Amino acid sequence: MKKEKKEKKPPLLDGSEKPIFSEKKNVLRLIGFLIAFAIAVTFITLGVVRIGHKDPGLYEVETDVDGSLPLYASGIHLKYDFNGSSDEIKSQMNGIKAVYTEALKQSYKWFDTKNVYPEAPNLAEISQKPGQAVVLQEPLFAILQDALQRTEKNEGYTIFAAPLRALQQARLYASEPAAGDPVNEPELRALIDALDQVIREDPGELILNAAEKTATLNLSAAYAAFLEEYELQEDGVLDLGVLADAYRLQYLSQVLEEAGYTKGFLTSDSGASLLLSGYTNEQAKFCLYSLDAEGKIEVSATKAAKAGTASCSFRVFRFSEGEYGFYTVAEGERILYRNPYQLSLPDEQPVLSVLASSSTGKIVEAAYACICLMEAKTSDEALAAAEKDGVSRIVDLNDGEAKLYLSDADGVEVLSGYETILPEGK
């Protein structure tokens, strides 16, 4: 007699009838699942730990986000060489971040030309209170003393040019800068030339009282009347200009060194570089950039960068098509390079690029040397400025020739194809 076969019904996906497994298989599946789960957790844990792990090496120091000062860290960078265990490196990072962030904010407030901060008397407050003595903190007072001395040399730099710089920045960062360039706008050209003349010839005076650490701005009648006539008062008067980043790097380095952080280097987007006293890297070099025969950018010379040294590199051309702050405009058959380093509108541009360096870390001196060269009216004037003492200079003239003018050859390497010219006796 045949046994009746029971019809096996497939399990339903709606849960009304579930598939039946043996108890042994259930146990094995459970064990497999637990092993897989343990392995997954282990890998995830190791991954999370690794993400937070810090190996010794060079890191860019991060800064805090501050909604009240959104641009306080813009354009300034600090890279630091961290050593030790992961936990030690994290502790070092937190420590240097706090010191660096506070120094950045402080210097940003001091140099602000438009906004006043009650806790940090600054350039804006001095400009907005003409005839009144403003008490300053010691670092800013020392910076203004130095900037005023450089202004009085009458070598192309001035601290009284905030309105002129505001007009320059508006042009450089316009959506179509060439269309609104003074070459194509005669009225704008006349305004800039007239303002430049007033600032150079009769801006007034900045009185600094060393005993009381005060600054008092007394505008000349001509300057005050000009600002009122053309409604330029809101831009202020005092501005550290191209030297601002150099002064910031100088201040930042002093704060970092005093806090014991010496194994890193500071740079600015404007071309300033400063190595702290404990940072060594045999491969580190300061670079001069030039244009080859086809107009392509290349490194034409380098200068050895050692611990405690500083450099500044200015150029009239931009690195890439999308780089803001640079553009070219045609004036007849000439091509004019507009850039952040030349405040006035020169008829001639004898210098294409310049690198100035200081073996003792005098970053402001290096930046000032670059300004003097960029403001030169002729090639002879530029070469005379290149031979001055104080810092080393490498100059590429805007003459279409592959020649570099060196104040000295110490630590300099020149790209093949460039002729080097040294002063007599060097």
Side-chain angles (χ1 to χ4, degrees):
M1 187 174 176
K2 294 183 179 180
K3 294 182 179 179
E4 293 183 4
K5 293 183 180 180
K6 293 185 179 179
E7 185 180 354
K8 293 184 178 179
K9 296 181 180 179
L12 301 180
L13 297 180
D14 62 3
S16 59
E17 184 171 343
K18 297 180 181 179
I20 300 173
F21 299 106
S22 70
E23 185 176 345
K24 186 176 181 180
K25 288 185 178 180
N26 282 338
V27 172
L28 290 175
R29 287 178 180 274
L30 178 60
I31 292 173
F33 170 77
L34 291 175
I35 292 173
F37 180 76
I39 293 172
V41 169
T42 300
F43 276 111
I44 291 172
T45 302
L46 289 174
V48 170
V49 170
R50 191 64 194 172
I51 289 174
H53 182 84
K54 297 295 182 184
D55 292 316
L58 198 64
Y59 292 84
E60 179 152 3
V61 177
E62 299 178 350
T63 55
D64 293 326
V65 175
D66 189 334
S68 64
L69 296 172
L71 300 177
Y72 80 92
S74 178
I76 304 293
H77 311 278
L78 168 61
K79 288 192 174 181
Y80 200 81
D81 192 8
F82 293 96
N83 288 289
S85 67
S86 178
D87 288 341
E88 289 172 338
I89 291 173
K90 290 177 187 178
S91 178
Q92 293 172 32
M93 285 181 168
N94 290 332
I96 195 172
K97 178 180 179 180
V99 173
Y100 178 54
T101 295
E102 180 57 31
L104 273 174
K105 290 181 179 180
Q106 187 67 67
S107 57
Y108 179 85
K109 291 176 183 178
W110 284 337
F111 298 173
D112 197 328
T113 62
K114 292 185 178 182
N115 303 299
V116 172
Y117 307 91
E119 73 281 5
N122 62 357
L123 299 183
E125 186 170 350
I126 301 170
S127 293
Q128 293 173 21
K129 295 180 178 179
Q132 299 181 45
V134 177
V135 180
L136 304 175
Q137 292 165 294
E138 172 60 33
L140 178 57
F141 185 86
I143 287 170
L144 288 183
Q145 277 186 315
D146 184 79
L148 186 59
Q149 290 172 1
R150 297 184 190 280
T151 297
E152 292 171 347
K153 291 181 179 181
N154 196 28
E155 294 179 324
Y157 175 76
T158 175
I159 196 178
F160 297 104
L164 192 58
R165 184 159 298 281
L167 289 174
Q168 178 200 48
Q169 296 296 302
R171 298 195 324 272
L172 292 176
Y173 294 95
S175 57
E176 296 183 6
D181 189 87
V183 166
N184 302 313
E185 297 287 345
E187 291 185 3
L188 177 59
R189 175 65 192 247
L191 171 63
I192 291 173
D193 287 344
L195 178 57
D196 187 38
Q197 183 176 358
V198 171
I199 291 173
R200 305 286 182 182
E201 296 180 358
D202 187 22
E205 60 180 354
L206 179 65
I207 301 174
L208 299 175
N209 186 319
E212 299 181 2
K213 297 294 184 291
T214 61
T216 306
L217 176 65
N218 294 321
L219 284 181
S220 70
Y223 198 3
F226 193 100
L227 296 180
E228 182 177 1
E229 180 181 355
Y230 292 97
E231 300 180 349
L232 298 173
Q233 301 99 320
E234 68 175 23
D235 296 316
V237 174
L238 300 181
D239 188 341
L240 294 172
V242 179
L243 283 185
D245 283 350
Y247 281 122
R248 289 191 81 185
L249 263 58
Q250 173 186 270
Y251 173 69
L252 290 168
S253 68
Q254 292 169 349
V255 171
L256 290 167
E257 295 270 0
E258 289 174 3
Y261 297 108
T262 65
K263 297 181 179 180
F265 61 92
L266 291 152
T267 60
S268 75
D269 291 350
S270 60
S273 303
L274 191 157
L275 277 65
L276 299 177
S277 63
Y279 180 74
T280 56
N281 184 338
E282 294 181 358
Q283 305 301 317
K285 298 180 184 298
F286 301 130
C287 298
L288 175 72
Y289 295 92
S290 299
L291 298 176
D292 65 12
E294 298 178 354
K296 296 180 180 179
I297 298 167
E298 64 182 359
V299 175
S300 54
T302 62
K303 176 84 171 181
K306 301 178 182 179
T309 60
S311 83
C312 204
S313 179
F314 289 176
R315 56 199 158 81
V316 298
F317 52 86
R318 59 186 173 188
F319 279 139
S320 63
E321 191 68 26
E323 184 180 13
Y324 288 105
F326 295 81
Y327 67 93
T328 57
V329 62
E331 185 179 42
E333 297 182 355
R334 293 194 311 157
I335 297 297
L336 297 175
Y337 294 92
R338 301 303 193 201
N339 60 86
Y341 308 114
Q342 293 178 299
L343 187 58
S344 56
L345 297 172
D347 294 323
E348 300 294 335
Q349 291 180 302
V351 174
L352 191 67
S353 59
V354 56
L355 173 70
S357 59
S358 167
S359 60
T360 55
K362 295 180 179 178
I363 184 63
V364 176
E365 195 67 38
Y368 182 76
C370 288
I371 291 174
C372 293
L373 281 158
M374 296 294 282
E375 291 290 341
K377 303 296 187 295
T378 65
S379 297
D380 289 341
E381 188 178 319
L383 294 180
E387 294 181 9
K388 290 183 178 180
D389 294 330
V391 297
S392 298
R393 300 168 178 83
I394 309 175
V395 182
D396 185 5
L397 294 181
N398 187 21
D399 56 7
E401 298 186 22
K403 295 180 180 179
L404 299 180
Y405 297 81
L406 283 61
S407 62
D408 63 82
D410 184 30
V412 176
E413 292 184 15
V414 177
L415 188 73
S416 176
Y418 280 85
E419 179 184 354
T420 59
I421 299 175
L422 284 161
E424 293 184 11
K426 292 191 177 181

